């Protein structure tokens, strides 16, 4: 009976250790990322990722337009990104995010506003590129500092 | 006894329905994303995201360099992105990914190689911007088509 108990105990400890090894891999992997987790619902995460893909596509289109010195196109695309989404849903979504993270949105929108305005007023590729580089610094800062986590 | 069984059954069904409602929200949210899931380990996901953040930072630096007509810097940064990571770890990581998804990596690297070479040979902002725009089209295609999912 004691012998059986010993075997069960040993087996339990082995299972426990293997379970620990299995899960610690994921826990450790999560920790080494080092970015601040922004807790959002699954729906909000999908919406934010969709918005970011739109930003990426627009930046690609701005680079393509600058390659062709097509300032009309730069004014249009940057202008669209310069205006904040004021629908009730977007306002509620923003309300659920941390203040520091939330502050990056307006920086991005103001950057695109300047880019659009100056492309219209000056039509200067080097100047527009400088502004685009500043806007992209906001993207870099946000991606380096934060990650979205479904709550 | 039969009465008790009836209560337990009703309770079980209620729990089952509520569990279904709770989880269906996430399942539905996942479905509306519409992108193909690439199954990776937590460790590989962190590594890929880190590589992508490096790409983003490098593209921002290339835009900044082109704003200053600093072609030496463009050659350097694009050159670094143009060379594939041939460490054993990176090769194993790539092996675990789907063929279609995997084909996007070399496209990106070849694009950066051309950008680096032509920045050295021609030093022409418009030409480099056209090439950068082509490289960014690969980023757009990949982000629109795929998402990483921890297996």
């Amino acid at each position: 009976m004691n012998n059986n108990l010993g075997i069960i105990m040993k087996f339990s400890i082995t299972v426990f250790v293997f379970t620990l090894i299995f899960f610690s891999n994921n826990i450790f992997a999560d920790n080494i990322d080092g970015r601040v987790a922004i807790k959002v619902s699954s729906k909000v995460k999908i919406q934010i990722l969709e918005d970011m893909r739109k930003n990426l596509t627009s930046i690609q289109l701005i680079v393509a337009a600058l390659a062709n010195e097509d300032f009309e196109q730069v004014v249009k695309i940057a202008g669209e990104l310069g205006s904040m989404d004021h629908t009730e849903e977007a306002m509620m979504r923003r309300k659920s995010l941390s203040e520091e993270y939330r502050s990056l949105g307006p920086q991005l929108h103001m950057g695109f506003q300047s880019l659009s305005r100056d492309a219209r007023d000056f039509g200067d590729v080097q100047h527009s590129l400088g502004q685009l580089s500043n806007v992209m610094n906001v993207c870099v800062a946000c991606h380096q500092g934060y990650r979205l986590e479904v709550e």
Side-chain angles (χ1 to χ4, degrees), chain A residues 12-110:
Chain A
S12 301
I13 291 168
T14 310
V15 168
F16 176 73
V17 168
F18 272 94
T19 309
L20 207 66
I21 289 168
F22 180 77
F23 284 106
S24 68
N25 187 32
N26 284 326
I27 292 163
F28 179 67
D30 266 358
N31 283 343
I32 58 166
D33 182 296
R35 296 181 295 160
V36 174
I38 305 284
K39 304 248 179 195
V40 289
S41 70
S42 177
K43 203 178 151 191
V44 167
K45 183 176 176 179
I46 286 172
Q47 190 58 56
I48 293 176
L49 292 183
E50 208 173 299
D51 287 349
M52 280 199 281
R53 285 197 296 277
K54 274 186 203 160
N55 291 345
L56 171 65
T57 306
S58 298
I59 290 173
Q60 186 275 326
L61 288 171
I62 289 171
V63 169
L66 286 173
N68 299 318
E69 297 189 66
D70 181 352
F71 290 101
E72 208 172 298
Q73 182 77 340
V74 177
V75 172
K76 185 175 168 276
I77 302 165
E80 281 162 8
L81 291 174
S83 56
M84 295 273 282
D85 183 353
H86 289 297
T87 56
E88 199 178 333
E89 199 196 331
M91 306 277 267
M92 285 303 289
R93 200 169 68 227
R94 281 198 287 274
K95 227 176 179 174
S96 72
L97 305 172
S98 82
E99 206 170 323
E100 198 189 343
Y101 176 78
R102 234 164 47 196
S103 76
L104 291 161
Q107 279 184 52
L108 201 72
H109 290 287
M110 283 189 290

Side-chain angles (χ1 to χ4, degrees), chain A residues 123-138:
Chain A
D124 178 329
V125 172
Q126 304 319 122
H127 179 72
S128 291
L129 283 173
Q131 289 179 309
L132 182 62
S133 144
N134 290 341
V135 167
M136 289 183 72
N137 261 334
V138 181

